[in-house]
Amino acid sequence: MKKTPFILSIMFVVFLIVVFSTVFSGPENVDVVSGNGRIEATEIGISAKVAGRVEEIYVSEGDRVTAGDVVAKLDTTTINSQLQQAKAQHQQAKSAVEAANMAVAQRQSEKSALEAALLQTKAELKAAEAHAARTNELAKTGAVSKQLAEDNLTNVESAKAAVNAAKARLTAADATIEASRAQYYSAQAAVSAANATIAQIQSEINDMVLKAPRNGRIQYRVVEPGEVVGAGGRVLSLVDLTHMSLRAVNEKR
C-alpha cells in the first residue's frame, strides 16, 4: 500500500478568510493564511494471486465497494478441466481401493479353505501311518501279505506329500494376501493424492475470484477483460477512504 493523491492539486483557502473577512469584517486589516494542498488516501492494489486471463471486471472507476465484494474474475476454463480430471482420478482410485479390498477378502477366504484342506491331509496322514503300523505288525506274523504292508507304507508317503503340498499352497496364499493388501494400500495412497490435488486446484480456482480486501472506492482499472496478467499482477486500484490526510504545500501568510 502507498499514499497517493486522491484529488490532485486541490486549492484551498483556510476558513479564517471567511471567518475574519466576512463574519467579523472591519476596517482593520486581518492576517490570513492561504495555500495549496492535496488530500491523500491509502491506495490498495487488488492483484491476481495466479496468472491468467481476466474474464470479467464487475466494477468501474469511482464505484464504492465493501470488503469481500467480488470485483473481478479470471478465466477458469483450463483449470476447471484439470479439476474434472483430478476428480476422475479420484474416482478411479476409490474403485481400485474397493477392488483391492474385495481381493484381500477373497484371498483370505481361499486361505481358510486351504487351512481346512491342510487339516484334512494331516488327518489322512495320521490314519495312513496308523494303518501302516498295524499291517506291518501283521505282516511280521504272516497274517497279511508283505505286499499289503508295503502298499500301506506307500500310502503314508503319499499322505506326507499331500500335507507338504497343502502347506506350500497355504504359504502361497499368504503371499497373495500380502500382495493384495499392498495393492489396497497403494490405492488408498492414490485416493489421498487425488484429494490433495483436488484441494490444490480448488484453492487456485478460489484465488481466481478477486475480492475487495476492505471498504473503499475503485480508483482505476489497471487492466480490462481479455488481458492476461501474471501472478501478483494488479487488476484494480482501490482507495481506502477511511484513512485520508490533508497535506498543505506552498503556504503563504
Side-chain angles (χ1 to χ4, degrees):
M1 298 186 297
K2 66 178 182 178
K3 294 290 185 179
T4 185
F6 176 59
I7 303 175
L8 296 177
S9 300
I10 297 179
M11 176 67 71
F12 69 92
V13 177
V14 180
F15 73 95
L16 292 176
I17 297 177
V18 178
V19 173
F20 289 100
S21 66
T22 304
V23 180
F24 300 100
S25 61
E28 64 277 7
N29 293 328
V30 179
D31 290 338
V32 296
V33 178
S34 66
N36 297 326
R38 63 188 183 186
I39 296 175
E40 292 185 343
T42 301
E43 179 187 357
I44 305 167
I46 302 177
S47 305
K49 292 184 179 180
V50 296
R53 184 179 64 84
V54 179
E55 183 177 89
E56 295 285 349
I57 296 181
Y58 302 109
V59 292
S60 300
E61 295 177 0
D63 286 353
R64 284 183 175 271
V65 294
T66 303
D69 286 351
V70 175
V71 294
K73 179 179 178 293
L74 301 184
D75 181 26
T76 58
T77 302
T78 301
I79 199 168
N80 280 335
S81 298
Q82 296 175 0
L83 179 61
Q84 294 306 314
Q85 182 179 0
K87 287 182 176 180
Q89 291 173 344
H90 177 262
Q91 188 57 46
Q92 290 176 354
K94 285 182 62 178
S95 298
V97 168
E98 295 175 0
N101 192 36
M102 291 178 61
V104 170
Q106 182 178 354
R107 299 297 178 267
Q108 288 176 332
S109 177
E110 293 172 353
K111 179 183 177 181
S112 297
L114 291 173
E115 287 174 337
L118 177 59
L119 292 176
Q120 179 65 29
T121 54
K122 285 182 176 180
E124 291 174 354
L125 172 59
K126 185 176 182 179
E129 288 175 336
H131 188 60
R134 287 195 300 270
T135 54
N136 187 49
E137 291 298 322
L138 292 173
K140 291 178 181 179
T141 60
V144 297
S145 65
K146 291 183 178 181
Q147 183 62 47
L148 179 59
E150 291 175 356
D151 290 343
N152 286 339
L153 289 175
T154 300
N155 292 337
V156 170
E157 294 302 319
S158 297
K160 287 181 179 179
V163 169
N164 291 333
K167 288 180 179 179
R169 288 193 292 271
L170 195 57
T171 300
D174 285 333
T176 302
I177 289 173
E178 290 305 313
S180 297
R181 283 176 177 166
Q183 291 177 347
Y184 174 77
Y185 296 139
S186 177
Q188 279 191 322
V191 169
S192 297
N195 280 332
T197 300
I198 290 172
Q200 179 183 355
I201 294 175
Q202 189 60 61
S203 176
E204 291 182 10
I205 290 175
N206 294 339
D207 288 341
M208 297 176 85
V209 177
L210 279 58
K211 298 179 180 180
R214 63 178 69 178
N215 299 344
R217 185 187 295 275
I218 300 299
Q219 186 178 26
Y220 54 85
R221 292 159 64 147
V222 181
V223 298
E224 294 297 330
E227 295 187 58
V228 176
V229 294
R234 183 173 292 195
V235 177
L236 295 161
S237 177
L238 174 70
V239 173
D240 183 359
L241 300 180
T242 62
H243 296 83
M244 300 177 64
S245 60
L246 181 63
R247 177 176 295 181
V249 295
N250 297 327
E251 284 191 359
K252 295 182 180 179
R253 187 174 180 85

